Structures are given as C-alpha cells and as structure tokens.
C-alpha cells in the first residue's frame, strides 16, 4: 500500500443467499439480461430490502472509494463478463464466485477487501491475491456464522457481532478481532405504513436442528399463548412424512471417528491445520463453538410446529414484506443460534426494534450492552420465563408500546448503518496507520 495521501479504497464482497428473494427480483425482469453489474445488483438489493445494509454508500460519504460485488448470482457474473471480459482461469480454483471476486480484486486493486461472512476469502484465494497485487490489500472478514472460523484465521482483521465470539476466537486469529454489531437502515421505514398492531405476538425466522433452543421457546409459546409464527427452514433442512425436521444428512462413521480424533489435538495445532484445510475446518470450528458456550452437536431432528399448529404457522416472508410484518407486530420473540451461546448479536434485534415492535429476546451480556433491558427491550432466561414475559406483554399493551417506542428510538440513535460505517471507518484507518499508510 502506498504511503502518499489518497482516498482509501474498499471492495465489499457479499453473497446473495436468499434464493426466493433473488428469483422474485430477477424473474421476468428483462432489464437484468442486459444490464450493467451495478444495475443488476441494484435490482437485487431492491428485492431484498432490509437485508441490504447500505454500508458502501455510507463509506463513500466518509471519503472512501467504495465498491460492492454480489456473488452467488449468475446474472451478476454475466454482466461482469459483458463489461470486462471473461473471468480469469486460475489453477486449482473452479468456483465461479471465487473467480469473479478475484477478477474484481485485480481490476480495482483495493486497499481493503471486505468479505461479508467470509464466503469467498480463503487461504488459496488470498495466496493468489497477494501474488497478483504487489502492494498487498488488507483482508477483512465479517464473521456472522460459526461455520467459517477456520477461514477467518488468516485475515488481517475479523469483525464479529458480539463479544462472545471475539473472546472465543481472538486467541487463535492471526490478525485483529473487533466487535461490529449488525445494524438497521432507517431508509427502510419510508417503504412501511404507519405502525398499527394487528399481530400482538409473533415469531419470524428459520427452524432446523441448529436452532433447537429457538424451537423449544417457540413450541412453549405456541402451547400457551396466541403467538403466530412465520417459519422458514434452514438450507438443506427437510420435513419427513411424519412431520419431523431433519438435518441435511448424517455424519458418516469415518467422519465421526475423525472428529473424535480432532477433539484430542491441541487447539492451537488444530487451528494451524484448519487454516489450510477445509476438511479440518469443521473440527476447529466446533472447538470455538464450545468456547462460546454454544451447542456443538445439535439434535438430529425436531418436531415441525407447522404440523401441530397449522392455523398459526405461516410461510416465511422476506424483504419489505418481512419488515412490514415486524411493523404490525406488538412484540416479536427471538432466540439466537445454538452454536453461538450468549452472542445475541443477530441482525433481527435491530430489525425488530428498527421497525418499531417490542423485542422479547434471550438474556445476555451483549443485549445489555446494546439496549436498556426492561425499558427498551424485554429479556427471558428460559422457556418458562419467555412464556411469562410474553403473557405480560399481551396483557399490558400500553406498556408494550412504551418499550417498543424506546427500543425504536435507541436503534435509530445508536444502531444504524451510518453509525456502524463510522466505527468501521475508524477501525480500517487504524489498520492502515499501523502499516504506515496515510489516507
């Protein structure tokens, strides 16, 4: 990187993983077949709604030369090739999304590469990038999942949504680890109606064996309250004819043996091995999960609540429809993923409060750091406590609305995408200063 004064540049790479929203946005859209990369990405973001936090525009307002690249969408790759030519051929790399990311990195030569959820950056790609760009880019990853700790080890900076993940992972990361919670984009409110509660108590989210505690809370509420649930299934989760949700495939006996052996390897050695091997990665990730207090071995199957309560369980909604549901909810119940125990850094915290509903969420240190519990959000400690708090919110609608309004104001004050961009701006400039770069 150069030591002369200049505008810092950043390329954010993010995977568009919501297949339903992708298909809805692009299906029948003739413009997408001939549009530029920027136009196709704009169509996708318009369809995805609240999940497309406008981080890049916010960084541009802070003086950055910032760019977005969406991977995982064939139409984006086709548009890129129309504008810039065929993707490069790299020995040992066949994933078209990785090749697209590499091509855009070579074209832009950014000072910083930010990979959302570490979908693309791995040891192989980083090796190619560092050979391709003499003045090495700073590699940054936003790690919102428990499945890619092994990939994040080699990054210069890892951003995580909660202190729990930072404490567990930082001792084994090669670079720095910093907390940067998710956020809410207030511009989304312009597309929503005025708040009018038509659903006093709701749940909206995914289910599957990785969410056994969420499942436990939801089932308790379905049994004892009038909660309505908008339910999606995690990728690969299936419902069998008997009404059970099952995980995608079972761990083979040979793989179980490998995992048992990995449990006896010192974690620092396992971390080194995992950085260069996708096969060893899951074993290292499970060790970090245990350090967060999370559940490393989820149950094989769970009862599908849609089979037991068909009249109160509805298909999942996404985009603006999802935010509109939150807007019309009195209180929304949330429980985080089992694997990240005590993290409570999910995007949904800010979506619920940003849309204006009262949030009922599991108690954790992170929730207390983000909100004033009892005034801006309500927390529970177990299923019985969740039922008790939900019933209290239903019986006291005026108090519920006071909490909803206080949480809404807190999110619009402290937890917007603009606020997170300010924090990221500071973190990245500090990284540059440590390398002797001046922007």
């Amino acid at each position: 990187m150069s030591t002369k004064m200049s505008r810092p540049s950043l390329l954010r790479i993010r995977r568009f993983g919501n297949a339903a929203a992708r298909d809805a946005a692009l299906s029948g859209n003739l413009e997408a077949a001939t549009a530029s990369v920027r136009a196709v990405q704009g169509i996708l973001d318009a369809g995805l709604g609240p999940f497309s936090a406008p981080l890049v525009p916010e960084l541009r307002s802070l003086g950055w030369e910032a760019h977005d690249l969406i991977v995982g969408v064939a139409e984006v790759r086709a548009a890129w090739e129309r504008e810039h030519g065929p993707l490069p051929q790299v020995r040992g790399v066949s994933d078209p999304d990785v090749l697209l990311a590499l091509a855009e990195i070579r074209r832009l030569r950014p000072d910083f590469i930010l990979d959302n959820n570490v979908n693309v950056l791995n040891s192989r790609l980083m090796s190619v990038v560092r050979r391709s760009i003499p003045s090495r880019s700073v590699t940054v990853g936003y790690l919102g999942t428990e499945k890619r700790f092994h990939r994040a080890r080699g990054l210069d900076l890892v951003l995580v949504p909660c202190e729990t993940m930072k404490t567990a992972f930082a001792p084994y990361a090669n670079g720095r680890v910093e907390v940067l919670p998710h956020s809410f984009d207030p511009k989304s409110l312009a597309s929503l109606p005025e708040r009018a509660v038509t659903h006093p108590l709701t749940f909206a989210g995914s289910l599957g064996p990785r969410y056994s505690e969420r499942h436990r809370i939801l089932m308790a509420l379905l049994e004892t309250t009038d909660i309505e649930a908008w339910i999606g299934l995690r990728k690969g989760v299936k419902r069998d004819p008997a009404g059970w949700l099952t995980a995608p495939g079972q761990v083979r006996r040979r793989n179980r043996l490998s995992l048992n052996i990995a449990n006896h390897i010192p974690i620092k050695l396992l971390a080194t091995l995992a950085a260069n091997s996708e096969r060893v990665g899951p074993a290292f990730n499970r060790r970090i999960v245990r350090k967060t207090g999370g559940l490393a071995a989820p149950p094989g199957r769970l009862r599908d609540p849609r089979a037991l309560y068909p009249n109160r369980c509805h298909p999942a909604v996404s985009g603006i429809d999802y935010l509109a549901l939150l807007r019309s909810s009195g209180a929304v119940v949330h429980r985080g993923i089992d694997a990240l125990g005590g993290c409570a850094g999910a995007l949904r915290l800010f979506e619920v409060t940003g849309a204006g509903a009262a949030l009922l969420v599991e108690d954790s240190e992170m929730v207390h750091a983000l909100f004033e519990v009892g005034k801006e959000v309500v927390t529970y400690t177990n299923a019985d406590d969740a039922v008790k708090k939900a019933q209290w919110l239903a019986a006291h609608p005026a108090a519920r609305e006071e909490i909803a309004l206080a949480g809404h104001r807190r999110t619009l004050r402290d937890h917007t995408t603009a606020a997170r961009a300010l924090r990221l701006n500071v973190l990245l400039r500090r990284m540059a200063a440590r390398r002797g770069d001046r922007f």
Side-chain angles (χ1 to χ4, degrees):
M1 291 169 65
S2 171
T3 58
K4 67 180 181 180
M5 294 291 290
S6 62
R7 293 177 66 199
S9 59
L10 176 141
L11 170 64
R12 180 175 72 153
I13 304 167
R14 53 195 174 101
R15 182 178 295 278
F16 196 99
N18 189 319
R22 177 196 63 211
D23 294 344
L26 296 175
S27 178
N29 194 319
L30 300 178
E31 179 189 354
T34 57
S36 66
V37 171
R38 186 171 182 176
V40 175
Q41 293 183 158
I43 294 169
L44 290 167
D45 281 341
L48 197 59
F51 302 97
S52 298
L55 184 64
V56 162
E58 295 292 350
L59 287 174
R60 286 174 183 156
S61 72
L62 297 173
W64 285 74
E65 182 185 328
H67 306 268
D68 248 329
L69 177 68
I70 292 177
V71 298
V73 179
E75 287 82 355
V76 173
R77 291 196 300 272
W80 195 97
E81 291 190 285
R82 285 196 299 271
E83 291 180 48
H84 308 294
L87 298 180
Q89 299 299 308
V90 179
R91 184 177 180 181
V93 179
S94 58
D95 186 334
D97 290 330
V98 174
L99 293 172
L100 175 60
L102 176 60
E104 187 71 342
I105 291 168
R106 285 176 169 175
R107 187 180 75 86
L108 296 175
R109 304 173 74 85
D111 298 309
F112 296 87
I113 304 167
L114 171 57
D115 185 355
N116 266 29
N117 228 8
V118 197
N119 279 298
V120 174
L121 289 178
N122 55 33
S123 58
R124 172 64 177 159
L125 178 60
M126 287 190 288
S127 175
V128 174
V129 167
R130 287 166 179 168
R131 289 200 305 268
S132 304
I133 305 176
S135 54
R136 193 183 71 158
S137 299
V138 176
T139 54
V140 185
Y142 193 92
L143 189 61
T145 176
E146 83 287 2
K147 296 183 292 184
R148 300 188 185 97
F149 286 112
H150 65 296
R151 287 189 176 185
R153 279 199 71 248
L155 301 178
D156 299 310
L157 174 64
V158 180
L159 305 169
V160 295
C162 63
E163 287 287 347
T164 300
M165 289 179 71
K166 177 180 177 179
T167 301
F169 179 59
Y172 312 101
N174 292 341
R176 299 181 66 84
V177 181
E178 299 285 356
V179 175
L180 188 73
H182 288 293
S183 64
F184 178 75
D185 177 20
K187 299 183 187 69
S188 301
L189 294 173
S191 302
L192 300 177
E194 291 295 319
R195 177 163 165 77
V197 176
T198 55
H199 307 289
L201 182 64
T202 65
F203 165 87
S206 297
L207 290 181
R210 291 173 62 208
Y211 293 98
S212 61
E213 288 303 311
R214 175 182 292 182
H215 179 272
R216 186 196 310 276
I217 298 298
L218 178 58
M219 292 297 283
L221 290 167
L222 284 166
E223 292 168 7
T224 57
T225 73
D226 293 328
I227 192 172
E228 293 182 86
W230 280 257
I231 298 172
L233 299 182
R234 290 294 300 178
K235 183 179 179 180
V237 173
K238 304 295 184 182
R239 177 184 174 184
D240 68 19
W244 290 88
L245 303 178
T246 58
Q250 300 296 319
V251 178
R252 294 180 180 178
R253 183 175 181 181
R254 180 178 178 183
N255 290 342
R256 286 200 300 269
L257 178 61
S258 298
L259 289 174
N260 288 334
I261 294 172
N263 287 336
H264 297 285
I265 298 175
I267 189 168
K268 288 191 175 181
L269 175 58
L270 191 63
T272 301
L273 297 172
N276 299 301
S277 172
E278 289 291 325
R279 294 182 63 186
V280 182
F284 172 68
N285 296 337
R286 285 181 173 84
R287 296 282 283 275
I288 298 298
V289 163
R290 293 192 184 101
K291 288 183 173 294
T292 71
L295 179 65
R301 65 177 190 165
L302 295 170
R303 196 76 170 96
D304 187 352
R306 299 173 301 179
L308 300 176
Y309 304 95
N311 293 332
R312 287 191 283 141
C313 294
H314 315 289
V317 289
S318 62
I320 294 299
D321 292 338
Y322 163 72
L323 267 192
L325 171 63
L326 301 183
R327 184 78 160 168
S328 64
S329 298
V332 180
V333 180
H334 176 69
R335 181 36 166 101
I337 189 170
D338 293 350
L340 299 176
C343 183
L347 175 61
R348 201 177 317 278
L349 275 64
F350 310 107
E351 294 167 338
V352 171
T353 52
L359 174 65
L360 178 57
V361 64
E362 77 267 24
D363 193 66
S364 71
E365 290 184 7
M366 193 64 188
V367 169
H368 284 263
L370 294 167
F371 297 97
E372 185 175 344
V373 172
K375 181 179 179 181
E376 297 172 338
V377 299
V378 179
T379 63
Y380 60 85
T381 55
N382 53 41
D384 289 340
D385 193 36
V387 169
K388 179 181 176 181
K389 300 289 177 58
Q391 291 173 338
W392 184 89
L393 288 166
H396 300 85
R400 180 200 68 204
E401 288 305 291
E402 289 181 5
I403 293 169
L405 181 58
H408 180 63
R409 287 172 173 167
R410 179 63 179 270
T411 289
L412 296 189
R413 187 188 76 196
D414 294 341
H415 303 313
T416 63
T417 305
R420 299 296 185 252
L422 282 170
R423 174 63 177 159
L424 181 60
N425 175 61
V426 171
L427 293 174
L428 297 183
R429 289 179 185 272
R430 284 178 183 170
M431 287 290 296
R434 291 188 187 99
R435 294 166 174 259
D437 297 291
R438 301 169 59 204
F439 295 122

